[in-house]
């Protein structure tokens, strides 16, 4: 057998890497172009915000209300799912979700096409998301300049994107002076976030949980302190206090998946670090799987999730 054809890492149905370095991404991406969405009226376009890396974002702008009011909109930086190794801001289910969410919450969306491991190991994804937040806050791009309100910024992420969102919000707290004057992150939304822990609870011993644990060092290129690395276990001993998150409100969403207990531990960690219950909210979509809101958007539980996110993104509307 050709040594280059030997598999060095495999997580079906997510990714396979060969000893030659060749990577096969097994998660399908149904890439769709930006457009004006017929159902919601939300317009989208792609913009390269970091010419040095080629990293881009898909921007989403809701239609003006019937009265033509030119109100400024909160800015939401969104991070897609895919295990840090797959997914895309252009993927059809994520694109459709952003159209629905931006229309429902009336926010200007910035969905980041961050670089993926293993070609670009962690922390490249964090660096790209942080660069996107700063770029959005600077407001040089016309939609952001003319319609965005950088005093009302939010960071939202799904699955692995939830992990990225947490790390960006933490950096926003630790490096607030690095954001443009007047820019403020108001809230953090985590949808079934990818967090782990070396210590397992009952129900965390499945094959899938084991593969998710293998995925973390793979995504880091081996450069990690393990499953209690604070970047993947924000409530580990020695991790930065969650009071240092650079936002006022948080919504943690759970599903019946392998990440459920870690998401609950994160919410418990928020409360344990001094967050008030009204500022650190929990949405538990009992009986639903990891991707339900992307796969079945008209379902009652998906609509509840959309409404709870819209409520988070509406926070601070009268606070400047």
């Amino acid at each position: 057998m050709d040594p280059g054809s030997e598999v060095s890492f495999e997580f079906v149905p997510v990714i396979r890497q060969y000893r030659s370095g060749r990577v096969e991404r097994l998660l399908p991406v149904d890439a769709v172009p930006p457009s004006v969405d017929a159902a919601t009226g939300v317009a989208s376009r792609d913009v390269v915000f970091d010419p040095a890396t080629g990293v881009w974002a898909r921007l989403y702008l809701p239609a003006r209300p019937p009265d033509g009011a030119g109100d400024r909109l909160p800015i939401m930086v969104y991070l897609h799912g895919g295990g840090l190794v797959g997914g895309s801001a252009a993927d059809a289910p994520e694109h459709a979700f952003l159209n629905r969410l931006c229309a429902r919450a009336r926010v200007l969306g910035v969905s980041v096409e961050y670089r993926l491991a293993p070609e670009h190991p962690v922390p490249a994804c964090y660096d790209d998301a942080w660069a996107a937040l700063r770029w959005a806050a600077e407001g040089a791009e016309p939609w952001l300049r003319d319609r965005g309100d950088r005093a009302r910024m939010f960071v939202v992420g799904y699955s692995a994107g939830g992990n990225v969102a947490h790390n960006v919000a933490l950096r926003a707290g630790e490096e607030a002076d690095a954001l443009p004057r007047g820019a403020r992150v108001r809230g953090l939304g985590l949808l079934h976030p990818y967090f782990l822990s070396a210590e397992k609870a009952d129900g965390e011993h499945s094959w899938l949980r084991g593969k998710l644990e293998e995925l973390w060092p793979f995504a880091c290129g081996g450069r990690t302190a393990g499953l209690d690395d604070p970047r993947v276990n924000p409530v580990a001993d020695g991790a930065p206090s969650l009071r240092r998150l650079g936002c006022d409100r948080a919504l943690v969403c759970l599903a019946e998946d392998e990440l459920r207990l870690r998401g609950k531990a994160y919410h418990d960690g928020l409360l344990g670090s001094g967050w008030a219950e009204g500022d650190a909210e929990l949405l538990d979509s009992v009986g639903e799987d990891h991707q339900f809101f992307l796969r079945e958007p008209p379902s009652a539980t998906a609509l509840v999730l959309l409404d709870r996110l819209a409520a988070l993104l509406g926070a601070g509307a009268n606070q400047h």
Side-chain angles (χ1 to χ4, degrees), residues 19-313:
R19 295 199 183 279
S20 64
R22 183 167 65 91
V23 172
E24 277 186 273
R25 287 188 164 83
L26 308 177
L27 276 179
V29 171
D30 179 13
V32 294
S35 62
V36 176
D37 183 55
T40 63
V42 173
S44 55
R45 66 185 182 202
D46 296 343
V47 180
V48 174
F49 64 83
D50 188 345
T53 61
V55 174
W56 55 272
R58 179 161 294 182
L59 274 59
Y60 293 82
L61 182 66
R64 290 184 184 272
D67 62 9
D71 56 323
R72 287 192 171 270
L73 305 174
I75 299 170
M76 176 191 66
V77 173
Y78 178 82
L79 293 315
H80 66 77
L84 305 174
V85 299
S88 172
D91 194 22
E94 300 264 16
H95 177 73
F97 176 65
L98 265 290
N99 280 323
R100 294 191 299 273
L101 180 56
C102 291
R104 175 70 181 83
R106 287 201 54 75
V107 296
L108 201 166
V110 179
S111 183
V112 186
E113 184 75 351
Y114 55 86
R115 289 171 294 170
L116 301 175
E119 297 92 337
H120 304 282
V122 172
C125 54
Y126 303 150
D127 293 340
D128 293 344
W130 176 248
L133 180 68
R134 293 187 63 190
W135 172 78
E138 287 163 359
E141 192 280 334
W143 282 1
L144 292 161
R145 180 192 64 219
D146 298 337
R147 301 297 307 282
D149 182 357
R150 66 184 180 190
R152 292 184 290 155
M153 302 192 75
F154 295 83
V155 183
V156 175
Y158 161 56
S159 193
N163 175 294
V164 179
H166 157 77
N167 282 282
V168 169
L170 190 63
R171 188 167 177 178
E174 295 175 340
E175 300 180 29
D177 291 345
L179 293 175
R181 186 175 179 181
R184 184 173 176 190
V185 177
R186 294 281 184 178
L188 172 66
L190 304 182
L191 314 182
H192 319 155
Y194 175 52
F195 296 137
L196 299 169
S197 170
E199 182 177 345
K200 297 181 183 63
D202 290 344
E204 292 189 305
H205 297 273
S206 69
W207 172 87
L208 179 55
R209 170 57 185 250
K211 297 306 290 187
L212 290 169
E213 292 177 354
E214 292 176 14
L215 187 62
W216 170 249
F218 176 74
C220 293
R223 295 185 293 275
T224 174
L227 300 181
D228 284 336
D229 184 324
R231 298 174 299 179
V232 77
N233 184 2
V235 297
D237 290 342
S241 169
L242 296 180
R243 284 302 303 170
R244 291 165 65 179
L245 288 167
C247 56
D248 304 320
R249 295 187 64 190
L251 172 65
V252 182
C253 301
L254 309 181
E256 297 277 359
D257 61 11
E258 299 297 327
L259 303 173
R260 175 185 181 82
L261 294 179
R262 294 302 108 206
K264 179 65 167 59
Y266 183 90
H267 181 258
D268 290 345
L270 289 171
L271 299 181
S273 68
W275 281 68
E277 285 196 36
D279 295 329
E281 299 184 73
L282 185 73
L283 173 62
D284 190 354
S285 300
V286 177
E288 297 288 0
D289 66 16
H290 189 65
Q291 300 177 350
F292 78 92
F293 68 99
L294 296 178
R295 191 183 61 254
E296 299 173 354
S299 70
T301 44
L303 293 173
V304 168
L305 184 148
L306 197 69
D307 284 345
R308 290 289 294 275
L309 271 176
L312 171 76
L313 297 169

